[in-house]
Structures are given as structure tokens and as C-alpha cells.
Amino acid sequence: EAQVTQNPRYLITVTGKKLTVTCSQNMNHEYMSWYRQDPGLGLRQIYYSMNVEVTDKGDVPEGYKVSRKEKRNFPLILESPSPNQTSLYFCASSLWDPRNTGELFFGEGSRLTVL
Amino acid sequence: KNEVEQSPQNLTAQEGEFITINCSYSVGISALHWLQQHPGGGIVSLFMLSSGKKKHGRLIATINIQEKHSSLHITASHPRDSAVYICAATKGNQFYFGTGTSLTVIP
């Protein structure tokens, strides 16, 4: 079954404690991306990757890191989480073409609370 | 100012009604996506449009590139259509999202 898998789905942590949210897709997609969703602000893109070892910042990259060492995995790293990073996070993937018109496939979301 | 604006923010309809959700964007785009998010939180892609019109079952999406406007129509609405509908514009390698339209269809 084609899917994007995120872990953990729910996490409560404390300020400053490093954490990683994993994302894996089994569709051999080139494009992967991370978003956060906040009430009233909608979805905002954090980072994206067009292929292995190719990553770039989205609209709200501050406080986050990513890596793309393998095509299927795109982890999101919060080196020193702060309460303003409390949010619902989504990973998504798609086939990539020069006009970026591929359909997006989303993971189920990870709800993160930073105390 | 958001690059992508949706209207209305909230919409309540009676079962069977024809529904229209609008999306306007200010960026030059290569594609426009319509997404559906159910109360459980998962997001599903409904359509990807770069021109014209697409139809899946009771859902129809249209885009007017010159006017920078897209619409999502639901014919013969049903309570299971209750969800948040989100439009997203693709510019280069980035995505810009509207804040969503919350639809409730009452039996």
C-alpha cells in the first residue's frame, strides 16, 4: 500500500530537549516536504527536498533542521524545541517534475506539544 | 497578505445542496491543488490543476489562470463531505496554502 508514515503521532516534550520526527514514503518519490499547521494560519511549509542530499528552506524554517540521506526518508529535527513550535506537523511526498505538478501524498500528522 | 485566499471560511449546507468554495492567489503558479482534511486530521489530495477543469464523482474543480482564481464545487452534498477544504498553489518548488474552508453538511 502506497503511504507516507510519520512517527511519533503524538509527543509531549519539554523546552530544549532535542527531538526527531521521522517520515518515510514507499512510493519512490523524489519530492518530500514538511509542514506545520496552526489554527488561523493554515499549513506552512518548513523545508522541502527535491532528491537525496538536496534540501531547501520553506516559509518557516527557523528552529528546524532536515536531512535527506536516503530517498525514502526525510526526518525533521528540532534541536532545541520551544513552546512556539507546538503544532501539528505533516510530512508529504510527490513525484517531481520541473513544474512541480505532482500530486501530494500526506502522512497522518504528528501532534507535538512543547512545555 | 496571504499569497492564497479562500472563501468562505465556514460554510453550512443542507444535504443535497450545491456547494462552491473559492480560492484566489496572487503568485504566478504552475499548479493549484485542492486538499480535503477530515476531523481526524488526515489530509488527502482531491485535485491538481494547471488549467481548465477536472471532475471526480460529485466533485468538480476549475481554474482560471488569467483571473488567478479556482473553484471547488460539490454537487448533491452529503454529510460525509463535511471536512476542511484547503487550496494550495505551487510556485517553483514551494507550496502556498489557503487557511481552509470548514464545510458542514447537515442531514
Side-chain angles (χ1 to χ4, degrees), chain B residues 60-99:
Chain B
I60 303 165
T62 63
I63 189 168
N64 184 318
I65 300 292
Q66 286 73 30
E67 294 187 4
K68 292 188 168 66
H69 182 268
S70 177
S71 293
L72 176 68
H73 306 286
I74 304 175
T75 62
S77 60
H78 189 276
R80 65 176 175 264
D81 297 326
S82 297
V84 175
Y85 293 84
I86 302 166
C87 72
T90 303
K91 181 181 180 183
N93 294 314
Q94 291 194 247
F95 287 82
Y96 299 91
F97 296 85
T99 53

Side-chain angles (χ1 to χ4, degrees), chain A residues 12 37 75 88:
Chain A
I12 300 174
Q37 186 177 40
L88 179 59

